[in-house]
Amino acid sequence: MPNVLRSKCLVVGDSTVGKTALIQVFNSDNTFYPKNYTMTCGVDLLVKTVNVPDTNDVVELYFYDSSGKETYLDMMQKLWHNPSMWALVFDVTNEDSFNNISSWLQKLQDLKPAVPPTGVLLGNKTDLKERRKVYPKVALEFAKKNGLQYFECSAKDMTGVDEPFFLPGK
């Protein structure tokens, strides 16, 4: 009989940075990229079961895909309690989305979780090389300063999507 471990991951960042696309690509094992944009209203929940290598155990990853709109903040924060992990997502072609990460991080830190979650900073849309505005060095400095691990990915190209979610916990 396998052990079932559950992990709650909050996915936050500005609107249109690709949070939903990223989670849907990860959930589909890099086989599906949503081509139509539908704005998330509040929080969408997506669950993925992952087998733990060399064991009979599984992890149920509960992704709380949060809207990038302040309008939904009160509702979102009610669902955000006790996270195991948080993923802060920005668009590498949109400097404002990167600058706003500190505000999103503060909202998460204000939750004052009993056990500090593992945190990752994700620079999405790396497929748009010619439009890039935020470079890895700057994002990596921010991540280190704030106790986050930095990753880059492209939900559209389905590259770099898995690594951030297979980190060991603290």
Side-chain angles (χ1 to χ4, degrees), residues 91-94 123-136 152-160:
D91 173 352
V92 299
T93 70
N94 181 335
N124 191 24
K125 302 189 183 182
T126 57
D127 54 290
L128 301 173
K129 293 173 181 63
E130 67 286 345
R131 293 176 41 198
R132 186 175 196 125
K133 299 275 194 288
V134 181
Y135 292 92
E152 290 195 335
C153 62
S154 168
K156 183 178 179 186
D157 285 350
M158 300 184 210
T159 57

Side-chain angles (χ1 to χ4, degrees), residues 13-21 33 37-40 66-69 89-94 97 124-125 128 131:
D14 285 359
S15 293
T16 71
V17 297
K19 298 178 301 291
T20 300
Y33 173 75
Y37 176 72
T38 305
M39 185 178 78
T40 302
S66 303
S67 171
K69 296 287 185 190
V89 183
F90 71 95
D91 173 352
V92 299
T93 70
N94 181 335
S97 74
N124 191 24
K125 302 189 183 182
L128 301 173
R131 293 176 41 198

Side-chain angles (χ1 to χ4, degrees), residues 47-112:
V47 182
K48 178 175 174 125
T49 302
V50 177
N51 293 317
V52 178
D54 303 321
T55 72
N56 289 332
D57 299 337
V58 296
V59 176
E60 288 180 352
L61 295 170
Y62 289 77
F63 290 99
Y64 285 68
D65 177 12
S66 303
S67 171
K69 296 287 185 190
E70 290 283 327
T71 307
Y72 302 108
L73 188 57
D74 286 340
M75 179 185 65
M76 290 186 304
Q77 287 177 318
K78 289 177 182 166
L79 298 171
W80 283 357
H81 63 287
N82 297 323
S84 307
M85 176 183 182
W86 49 48
L88 295 108
V89 183
F90 71 95
D91 173 352
V92 299
T93 70
N94 181 335
E95 198 168 8
D96 287 340
S97 74
F98 175 73
N99 293 335
N100 291 336
I101 286 295
S102 57
S103 174
W104 286 106
L105 180 59
Q106 186 60 56
K107 288 172 177 66
L108 294 172
Q109 290 171 333
D110 288 347
L111 298 172
K112 299 188 185 344

